[in-house]
């Protein structure tokens, strides 16, 4: 066995199934690979929102609601900015898994470095433009003077986390492309522990306020990056001999890299537009409807954490099979992913039907809001049924870098969303908020249907 074979066998949890053996692979082999990636990814997804929740929980005991508003505004700015640059994770994951499947270890290394260089460039741009970015965000959100002052303090400290946060996007995408979601999970859990400890130390140990919470978040991001680098060196350091700067800035590679990432960036813009519109449309209808929609969206978020875990498995395994030109493994993975996610979605429907009101009661004790939420609950029950394929195809398309199909499907679905929202009050005599939820359901359904249709028109390498 040569050195390259030893490296491949060390890094890939389930050994490469060639075209002959893939037909003989039993059910449990593929399932083990799916769950080996999906379960740590689900845990990571659940822990990510805790970074923001921890900050809110700490400032919520400092004696002023302005602190909470400041953290909410500051966190929203970074959430939107980082969401827009999520292509650093997704694009890196898909291309890395394909390079791994093709056993191109030199390209695997170049993809990591290329993505890190782009991440650092974007982070530098964010730091340089931090003042106009803050001014634009405040212009849109129009916070009060007190909240604006505290939010500025929080923002101008946390903005320096951009290099660490975006580099972690690149590294997490690379790890998933290498069929390893355990390292991103370990990093995410460590970040939360450090964030809690550092924020409590700065706020209660040193007597800081919002600036203490911001410093805690900043420290947690860089500890996470250092841990990711250390784990890379421990488990993947032996890839160094395969690195060659030749081809790092090759024209064809750069064109493909930026084409894939620009498609994902534009697709994310449509997703952001829809999600921001849902929040805005709720606020136009008053505080109670805004609160109801915010509560109901928590059901969607919980469901999405689980589905994204399986989507990550689709990215890694399907991308690797695509790069290896392994059609049997690709088809088998598709069947198993859709089978497991169908079962999971049905379980969520049952859970929402049986325990939905109890979950709402955990989030609020306002009886009127709870009763109002029940009148819109049918839409939440529809979400797992119509949205499952959209989540899975997103992961699969990222893995096989069919990003143009992702962009087209999201554009069509977003157009349908706005058409349904503005036309359904007249066509179906629905209230404004029911129209909003019908539009969101149609958005998920059309993403699922259009992606399924486009998947049949992808040029596969086999």
């Amino acid at each position: 066995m040569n050195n390259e074979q030893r490296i491949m066998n060390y890094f890939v949890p389930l050994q490469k199934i060639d075209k002959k053996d893939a037909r003989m692979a039993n059910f449990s082999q593929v399932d083990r690979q799916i769950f080996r990636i999906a379960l740590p990814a689900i845990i990571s997804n659940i822990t990510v929102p805790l970074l923001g929740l921890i900050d809110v929980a700490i400032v919520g005991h400092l004696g002023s609601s302005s602190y909470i508003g400041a953290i909410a505004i500051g966190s929203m700015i970074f959430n939107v900015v980082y969401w827009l640059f999520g292509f650093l994770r997704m694009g890196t994951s898909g291309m890395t898994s394909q390079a791994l499947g093709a056993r191109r270890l030199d390209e695997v290394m170049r993809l990591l470095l290329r993505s890190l260089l782009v991440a650092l460039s974007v982070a530098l741009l964010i730091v340089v433009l931090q003042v106009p970015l803050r001014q634009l965000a405040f212009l849109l959100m129009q916070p009060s003077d007190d909240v604006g002052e505290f939010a500025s303090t929080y923002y101008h400290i946390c903005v320096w986390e951009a290099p660490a946060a975006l580099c972690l996007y690149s590294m997490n995408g690379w790890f998933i492309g290498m069929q390893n979601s355990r390292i991103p999970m370990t990093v995410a859990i460590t970040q939360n522990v450090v964030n809690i400890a550092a924020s409590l130390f700065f706020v209660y140990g040193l007597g800081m306020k919002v600036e203490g919470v911001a410093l805690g978040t900043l420290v947690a991001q860089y500890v996470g990056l250092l841990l990711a680098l250390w784990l890379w060196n421990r488990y993947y350091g032996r890839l160094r001999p395969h690195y060659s700067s030749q081809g790092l800035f090759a024209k064809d590679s750069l064109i493909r890299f930026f084409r894939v990432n620009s498609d994902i960036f534009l697709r994310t813009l449509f997703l952001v537009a829809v999600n921001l519109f849902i929040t805005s449309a709720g606020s136009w209808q008053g505080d109670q409807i805004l609160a109801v929609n915010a509560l109901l969206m928590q059901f969607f978020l919980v469901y999405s954490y689980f589905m994204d875990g399986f989507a990550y498995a689709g990215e890694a395994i399907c991308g690797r099979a695509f790069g290896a030109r392994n059609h049997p493994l690709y088809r088998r993975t598709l069947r198993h992913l859709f089978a497991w996610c169908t079962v999971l979605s049905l379980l969520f429907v049952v859970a929402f039907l049986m325990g939905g009101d109890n979950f709402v009661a955990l989030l609020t004790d306002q009886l009127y809001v709870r009763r109002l939420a029940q009148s819109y609950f049918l839409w939440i029950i529809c979400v797992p049924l119509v949205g499952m394929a959209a989540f899975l195809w997103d992961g699969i398309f990222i893995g096989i870098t069919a990003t143009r199909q992702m962009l087209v499907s999201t554009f069509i679905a977003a157009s349908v969303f706005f058409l349904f929202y503005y036309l359904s009050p007249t066509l179906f005599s629905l209230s404004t908020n029911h129209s909003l939820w019908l539009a969101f359901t149609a958005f998920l359904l059309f993403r699922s249907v259009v992606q399924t249709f486009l998947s049949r028109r992808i040029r596969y390498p086999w």
Side-chain angles (χ1 to χ4, degrees):
M1 182 182 292
N2 60 34
N3 186 49
E4 180 177 325
Q5 289 174 324
R6 284 195 296 271
I7 290 174
M8 293 296 296
N9 291 341
Y10 181 79
F11 292 133
V12 182
L14 179 64
Q15 303 306 319
K16 183 186 178 189
I17 304 173
D18 61 29
K19 294 184 178 181
K20 179 179 178 181
D21 293 337
R23 296 185 181 91
M24 303 300 294
N26 61 39
F27 188 84
S28 61
Q29 283 181 304
V30 177
D31 289 338
R32 279 199 298 270
Q33 191 176 18
I34 288 173
F35 281 95
R36 187 181 285 114
I37 297 170
L39 291 180
I42 290 170
I43 295 172
S44 298
N45 291 339
I46 293 173
T47 60
V48 166
L50 291 178
L51 282 170
L53 289 175
I54 292 165
D55 290 348
V56 172
I58 291 175
V59 299
H61 294 84
L62 293 182
S64 173
S65 60
S66 297
Y67 295 139
I68 299 176
I71 297 297
I73 288 178
S75 299
M76 182 181 295
I77 295 172
F78 292 112
N79 287 341
V80 171
V81 170
Y82 293 154
W83 193 9
L84 288 175
F85 294 105
F87 64 80
L88 290 167
R89 189 206 66 76
M90 292 181 279
T92 303
S93 171
M95 287 183 281
T96 300
S97 62
Q98 289 184 33
L100 180 67
R103 294 177 176 262
R104 294 186 57 196
L105 297 181
D106 55 341
E107 182 62 15
V108 164
M109 287 294 293
R110 282 195 292 267
L111 281 165
L112 175 60
L113 184 57
R114 195 178 292 139
S115 183
L116 286 173
L117 289 174
V118 173
L120 287 172
S121 300
V122 172
L124 177 62
L125 192 62
I126 292 173
V127 170
V128 171
L129 298 177
Q130 60 180 282
V131 173
L133 283 174
R134 175 184 57 79
Q135 292 173 338
L136 176 61
F138 282 19
L139 180 65
L140 295 174
M141 289 182 280
Q142 298 182 348
S144 64
D145 291 340
D146 287 342
V147 170
E149 180 182 353
F150 294 136
S152 294
T153 300
Y154 179 87
Y155 171 87
H156 284 294
I157 293 174
C158 284
V159 74
W160 293 97
E161 76 181 25
L166 294 180
C167 284
L168 275 173
Y169 273 27
S170 295
M171 296 197 71
N172 286 341
W174 189 86
F175 288 135
I176 292 171
M178 295 295 286
Q179 324 290 289
N180 187 339
S181 60
R182 294 186 301 276
I183 290 179
M185 176 190 70
T186 302
V187 171
I189 293 173
T190 302
Q191 282 182 298
N192 279 284
V193 172
V194 171
N195 188 30
I196 294 172
S199 296
L200 289 174
F201 171 74
F202 288 128
V203 172
Y204 294 107
L206 300 182
M208 296 181 179
K209 301 292 185 181
V210 170
E211 62 272 22
V213 173
L215 285 172
T217 302
L218 182 68
V219 170
Q221 289 286 7
Y222 279 96
V223 168
L225 177 61
L226 291 175
L227 177 60
L229 291 170
W230 181 79
L231 290 171
W232 182 93
N233 184 66
R234 179 178 178 183
Y235 292 105
Y236 298 96
R238 65 181 70 186
L239 279 176
R240 285 195 189 91
H242 291 270
Y243 170 71
S244 172
S245 60
Q246 185 178 2
L248 180 62
F249 300 107
K251 181 180 178 181
D252 291 343
S253 297
L254 286 177
I255 289 175
R256 180 172 181 250
F257 183 85
F258 284 107
R259 178 188 63 77
V260 167
N261 288 325
S262 62
D263 286 343
I264 297 174
F265 177 79
L266 292 173
R267 168 256 189 189
T268 305
L269 281 179
F270 290 120
L271 291 179
V272 170
V274 169
N275 280 275
L276 289 180
F277 186 86
I278 290 172
T279 302
S280 300
S283 67
W284 299 336
Q285 300 173 69
D287 291 346
Q288 291 178 334
I289 292 294
L290 177 62
V292 166
N293 288 350
L295 290 174
L296 293 179
M297 283 301 291
Q298 300 308 308
F299 289 84
F300 172 73
L301 291 175
V302 171
Y303 174 69
S304 70
Y305 296 150
F306 283 82
M307 291 303 299
D308 278 341
F310 286 91
Y312 288 179
E315 290 179 31
I317 305 170
C318 291
R320 178 173 153 236
F322 189 89
R325 301 173 180 264
N326 191 334
H327 183 216
L329 177 60
Y330 178 82
R331 297 301 303 174
R332 182 178 290 273
T333 303
L334 281 187
R335 290 196 300 270
H336 287 219
L337 281 170
F338 274 91
W340 279 114
C341 289
T342 298
V343 172
L344 181 63
S345 296
L346 292 175
L347 289 175
F348 266 98
V349 170
V350 173
F352 289 168
L353 282 170
M354 297 180 64
D357 188 58
N358 292 329
F359 183 65
V360 173
L362 289 175
L363 299 176
T364 181
D365 57 0
Q366 299 181 35
L367 291 178
Y368 180 77
V369 173
R370 288 172 56 185
R371 290 171 183 166
L372 190 60
Q374 290 177 352
S375 63
Y376 299 101
F377 213 75
L378 177 63
W379 299 114
I380 287 299
I381 295 171
C382 291
V383 164
L385 301 176
V386 302
M388 181 198 75
F391 282 98
L392 273 185
W393 281 123
D394 270 357
I396 293 162
F397 281 6
I398 289 169
I400 65 176
T401 56
T403 51
R404 185 56 50 88
Q405 286 83 350
M406 285 179 60
L407 173 59
V408 170
S409 63
T410 307
F411 169 74
I412 293 174
S415 301
V416 169
F417 170 85
F418 288 105
L419 284 174
F420 268 73
Y421 176 76
Y422 286 109
L423 295 180
S424 54
T426 302
L427 295 177
F428 307 115
S429 300
L430 294 175
S431 67
T432 302
N433 207 48
H434 276 294
S435 297
L436 179 65
W437 281 101
L438 173 62
F440 182 61
T441 303
F443 171 72
L444 294 174
L445 177 62
F446 270 78
R447 278 177 65 198
S448 297
V449 171
V450 174
Q451 286 175 314
T452 301
F453 174 78
L454 293 178
S455 70
R456 304 178 185 278
R457 282 161 171 71
I458 294 173
R459 293 183 179 180
Y460 295 98
W462 40 75

